[in-house]
Amino acid sequence: MRKYVIMGVQGSGKGTQARLLAERYDLVHISVGDIFRWNVKQHTKLGAQVRRIMASGELVGDDLVEAVVRKRLDEHDWNYGFIVDGFPRNGAQAEFFLESYDIDGVIHLDMPDTEVRRRVLARRLCSRCGLDYNLIASRPAVEDVCDVCGGRLVAREDDTEEALAVRLREYHEKTRPVLDLFRRKEYVVSVDATRTPAEVHEAIREPLGLTD
Ligand code: AMP
C-alpha cells in the first residue's frame, strides 16, 4: 500500500504527475480541485457553495474540504494506495490529515512563480471530456478544439491574472508552511518541476523507491 501527497503551486504539474503515478502504480488519484470542479459543473449544493470562492483564487473553508477528503477516502477503493493532489493546503488541514492517515511520502514539485504564470495563463481544458491542454507545450491540432472528443477548449475560471495572484499569495502564506512541517518529519521529496512531464516522473520515482 502506497500513500502519497503531491504538493506544488498551481500549474506546477501536480495533476499530470499524480495521474502518471496513479496509472503506473494502480493508485487512486484524489484531486480536491477536480471534485469541486465536478460539483460546480453538475450544479450540486456543494458546487454552489464553492464556485465563487474558487473563481476568486481563495481557499475553500477547511470544514468543507475535510468533509470531501474524508468522504472520498472512506470509499476504501484504494487497494494499492492513493495519491492526494491539492491537499493539505494549510496547517489545519495538515493536522487533520496526519491524525487520520499515515503517509509514505510527500512529493513537492518546485517551480518559480514566473514560470507558473507563463504556464497557468496558457492552460486550457476541454469543456466536454476535461482533458488538459497547454498552448505552450501541448497544443491541440485545431485551435480551441479537443483532439480526442471535439469539445471546445476553455480556460479554467480561476486561470486569470487576478485569481492567479491570489492563489500564489495563498500558496506562499499558507501552503509553504505545510511543506516545512512535512520536511521536519522527513517525508518530502522535492523535484525541479520545470522539466518535461516524463523527466519529472522519473525524478520522483527514484527517491520514493518506485523502481519497478
Ligand atoms: P486546484 O485544482 O488544486 O488548483 O484547486 C482549485 C481551487 O479549489 C483552489 O483555488 C481552491 O479554491 C479550491 N481548493 C482545492 N483544494 C483545496 C484545499 N485543500 N483547501 C482549500 N481550497 C481548495
Side-chain angles (χ1 to χ4, degrees):
M1 173 88 70
R2 293 162 167 145
K3 290 177 274 179
Y4 301 119
V5 168
I6 189 159
M7 294 180 65
V9 69
Q10 290 77 5
S12 59
K14 288 189 305 272
T16 303
Q17 294 302 325
R19 270 191 291 278
L20 290 173
L21 288 168
E23 273 166 28
R24 188 161 185 166
Y25 299 103
D26 255 331
L27 309 177
V28 171
H29 172 203
I30 300 172
S31 159
V32 178
D34 283 352
I35 294 174
F36 286 152
R37 274 185 289 280
W38 184 89
N39 278 276
V40 169
K41 209 168 161 200
Q42 302 299 320
H43 301 285
T44 67
K45 187 171 160 228
L46 177 63
Q49 285 171 293
V50 300
R51 178 164 184 209
R52 229 176 289 152
I53 305 170
M54 284 179 80
S56 72
E58 307 271 347
L59 292 182
V60 170
D62 292 339
D63 290 351
L64 275 184
V65 174
E66 286 169 15
V68 161
V69 171
R70 192 188 294 279
K71 182 159 175 272
R72 184 63 191 84
L73 287 171
D74 280 352
E75 286 176 27
H76 284 286
D77 54 347
W78 33 280
N79 297 335
Y80 298 101
F82 57 74
I83 179 156
V84 178
D85 152 7
F87 177 90
R89 261 170 144 113
N90 62 27
Q93 294 178 9
E95 259 173 53
F96 156 83
F97 197 52
L98 290 174
E99 274 167 18
S100 312
Y101 307 94
D102 315 316
I103 43 177
D104 298 307
V106 175
I107 301 154
H108 167 224
L109 300 180
D110 195 18
M111 185 176 279
D113 287 0
T114 45
E115 180 64 10
V116 166
R117 289 185 73 259
R118 201 174 78 91
R119 290 187 183 206
V120 165
L121 299 177
R123 183 153 71 172
R124 296 291 182 276
L125 208 63
C126 174
S127 56
R128 197 183 297 164
C129 73
L131 197 69
D132 278 322
Y133 289 83
N134 189 295
L135 303 185
I136 307 164
S138 55
R139 301 181 70 87
V142 178
E143 201 176 328
D144 293 334
V145 177
C146 178
D147 291 342
V148 176
C149 77
R152 203 166 57 86
L153 302 189
V154 292
R156 264 171 53 166
E157 207 176 354
D158 55 349
D159 282 347
T160 61
E161 288 271 5
E162 300 74 33
L164 179 60
V166 176
R167 278 148 69 203
L168 284 170
R169 197 192 62 219
E170 291 278 41
Y171 182 81
H172 290 295
E173 277 178 20
K174 297 180 181 159
T175 311
R176 270 269 164 194
V178 174
L179 206 52
D180 297 334
L181 178 103
F182 284 138
R183 265 208 192 94
R184 287 200 289 279
K185 296 184 183 274
E186 297 177 51
Y187 287 137
V188 180
V189 166
S190 253
V191 300
D192 169 6
T194 59
R195 292 171 290 173
T196 65
E199 286 168 340
V200 175
H201 179 63
E202 288 310 310
I204 290 171
R205 287 173 54 230
E206 210 216 38
L208 290 178
L210 294 170
T211 48
D212 49 329

